[in-house]
């Protein structure tokens, strides 16, 4: 089983970016935790981050050819990107939407997600553990449990 962990804009700054909102764990640490967890769950995890919408779309298109599913934090594009929504919808592998923060408890503009409706599930508010919960759920879905 192969899984893509995909991070959108500004998530390269994790650890130093608004730690009171997003925590002090760095992106490299999140990725290491997900690769370790993947190994324990019998999944090969690959991680990619981009600040560019087009590169994220390309990563989703490529995932269609090699991945069984994806865990995706689209960052600010969650609230704005029809193109990312269309990419998720097009690739027909299960995608789990994740957020470190609880977006529903924040500003109104964060309470609208353009991607939720085309994702298999959604996790938010658990800091880096949102990725862990998302990965565990995705692996179970793929295994048909
Ligand atoms: C985020 C929430 C988004 O609203 C924000 O733009 C981000 C991070 C989160 O993980 O909590 O960049 O996706």
């Amino acid at each position: 089983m192969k899984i893509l962990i995909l991070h959108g804009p500004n998530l390269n700054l994790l650890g130093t970016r608004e730690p009171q909102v997003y925590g002090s764990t760095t992106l490299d640490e999140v990725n290491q935790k997900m690769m370790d967890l993947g190994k324990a769950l019998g999944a090969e995890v690959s991680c990619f981050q981009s600040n560019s919408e087009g590169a994220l779309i390309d990563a989703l298109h490529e995932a269609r050819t090699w991945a069984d599913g994806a865990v995706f934090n689209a960052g600010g594009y969650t609230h704005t990107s029809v193109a990312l929504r269309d990419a998720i919808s097009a690739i027909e592998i299960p995608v789990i939407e994740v957020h470190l923060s609880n977006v529903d408890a924040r500003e109104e503009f964060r309470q609208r997600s353009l991607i939720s409706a085309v994702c298999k599930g959604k996790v938010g508010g658990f800091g880096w553990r949102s990725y862990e919960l998302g990965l565990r759920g995705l692996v179970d879905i793929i295994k048909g449990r």
Side-chain angles (χ1 to χ4, degrees):
M1 187 193 304
K2 292 191 171 137
I3 305 287
L4 170 66
I5 305 277
L6 187 58
H7 311 275
N10 300 305
L11 294 165
N12 53 308
L13 301 181
L14 268 190
T16 54
R17 172 195 183 201
E18 301 180 74
Q20 69 285 3
V21 178
Y22 299 115
S24 53
T25 308
T26 66
L27 189 66
D28 281 349
E29 289 167 344
V30 173
N31 287 340
Q32 191 57 55
K33 285 174 194 294
M34 292 311 107
M35 288 187 288
D36 291 348
L37 177 62
K39 222 173 259 172
L41 298 174
E44 195 182 307
V45 166
S46 300
C47 306
F48 179 68
Q49 187 274 334
S50 179
N51 293 319
S52 134
E53 194 175 13
L56 294 167
I57 292 167
D58 288 343
L60 287 165
H61 289 180
E62 275 164 33
R64 185 181 46 163
T65 67
W66 66 267
D68 298 294
V71 172
F72 186 22
N73 185 348
Y77 289 139
T78 304
H79 318 296
T80 63
S81 179
V82 173
L84 276 171
R85 177 200 172 105
D86 288 348
I88 295 166
S89 186
I91 61 174
E92 292 179 342
I93 59 170
V95 176
I96 307 295
E97 174 181 357
V98 302
H99 301 284
L100 297 140
S101 64
N102 178 0
V103 285
D104 292 316
R106 299 182 63 195
E107 301 97 322
E108 207 173 321
F109 66 86
R110 293 186 206 277
Q111 293 171 23
R112 182 183 73 150
S113 167
L114 294 191
I115 67 170
S116 292
V118 290
C119 287
K120 191 83 184 166
K122 178 173 179 173
V123 187
F126 295 92
W128 67 265
R129 287 186 180 80
S130 294
Y131 288 89
E132 173 179 349
L133 296 168
L135 179 56
R136 285 185 186 279
L138 178 61
V139 168
D140 275 2
I141 285 169
I142 294 166
K143 285 182 177 166
R145 285 202 211 122

